[in-house]
Amino acid sequence: RILHFLIYRAESREMQKLAAEAAWSIRIREAIRSNRMEIWLQPILPLSAAQPRVYFEVLLRMLGPDGSVVLPGEFLPAAERFGNMLQLDRFALKESVALMAEHRQFNLSINLSARSLKEDDLPKVIHKLLADALVDPQRVAFEVTETTLIEDLVQARKLLLEIREFGCRVFLDDFGSVASSMTYLRYLPVDVLKIDGSL
């Protein structure tokens, strides 16, 4: 086993990066508390008019105190490192369900992080939110990335099967960015495959 040591220096880039990410983690919590976190929608366009259902992918955006838009590339790395992903996933889920309850024409695709896929109660949380809002589960898809799934295939498969049992769909995003294995792809309960541009 190889151990890595980092000697602290004020000018150390690693320490500066860590401090910056810790600050972002605090800003994420503050943004959720002060209603400065938003969901934006990006259309998933059909290749043909015969496709029965059009989805919009739910994207997270943070607003700075001055109202400027902060893109996820700036705050998601900090959220992953400092444990904010579950909080962000639950925020996106609740906001998405509320939006679908208000606008019946929207079918949404909601991203789930690796952190959420470790929560055994995730299917129950989703089912209750949809039932309370009277939202048809068939209007909802959940997106998981290839990288997320390979962290724990057995657990991910179990939860995704439960989610599909009550009518939601599962999209596999970024396929081809990591292992690109058709073997494990057959093992997963996936309805739609989104192929990474690099493949």
Side-chain angles (χ1 to χ4, degrees):
R1 190 172 181 181
I2 300 173
L3 296 177
H4 297 277
F5 297 90
L6 180 65
I7 299 173
Y8 174 78
R9 294 187 180 89
E11 69 277 14
S12 167
R13 288 184 181 178
E14 286 298 321
M15 293 303 295
Q16 289 174 358
K17 180 181 177 183
L18 190 62
E21 287 185 349
W24 271 116
S25 177
I26 295 169
R27 290 174 67 184
I28 289 168
R29 292 193 294 271
E30 289 177 347
I32 292 174
R33 279 197 303 266
S34 57
N35 297 316
R36 288 188 292 102
M37 193 69 73
E38 296 183 340
I39 60 170
W40 291 18
L41 303 183
Q42 174 176 279
I44 301 174
L45 301 176
L47 292 174
S48 72
Q51 187 167 324
R53 194 180 296 272
V54 176
Y55 286 87
F56 290 84
E57 181 177 0
V58 174
L59 306 173
L60 280 177
R61 296 292 184 266
M62 181 194 294
L63 299 180
D66 61 352
S68 61
V69 177
V70 182
L71 297 178
E74 295 186 59
F75 62 85
L76 283 186
E80 290 170 351
R81 184 186 287 242
F82 287 93
N84 301 110
M85 287 308 300
L86 183 60
Q87 188 179 14
L88 287 175
D89 283 357
R90 294 294 168 95
F91 169 82
L93 178 60
K94 289 176 183 176
E95 291 294 308
S96 298
V97 171
L99 183 64
M100 284 186 287
E102 186 176 351
H103 300 280
R104 298 290 171 178
Q105 74 274 27
F106 284 151
N107 307 301
L108 300 185
S109 173
I110 306 162
N111 289 281
L112 292 175
S113 67
R115 179 66 184 82
S116 283
L117 291 177
K118 293 176 182 175
E119 295 291 309
D120 288 330
D121 69 338
L122 177 66
K124 291 180 182 177
V125 169
I126 293 171
H127 189 269
K128 185 177 188 316
L129 280 172
L130 295 176
D132 289 349
L134 301 177
V135 171
D136 183 352
Q138 294 186 3
R139 295 172 54 202
V140 185
F142 289 98
E143 290 201 26
V144 290
T145 65
E146 187 179 13
T147 306
T148 296
L149 288 179
I150 61 178
E151 285 192 20
D152 189 341
L153 276 174
V154 175
Q155 171 73 358
R157 184 176 191 272
K158 172 181 172 290
L159 293 187
L160 294 178
L161 280 171
E162 289 182 43
I163 289 170
R164 288 182 80 219
E165 278 179 8
F166 53 82
C168 297
R169 303 179 79 197
V170 175
F171 294 0
L172 177 58
D173 197 8
D174 293 340
F175 181 74
S177 61
V178 189
S180 312
S181 169
M182 298 302 289
T183 301
Y184 84 74
L185 185 59
R186 285 195 293 268
Y187 173 76
L188 294 169
V190 172
D191 298 291
V192 173
L193 189 65
K194 296 175 73 177
I195 300 173
D196 187 76
S198 63
L199 184 64

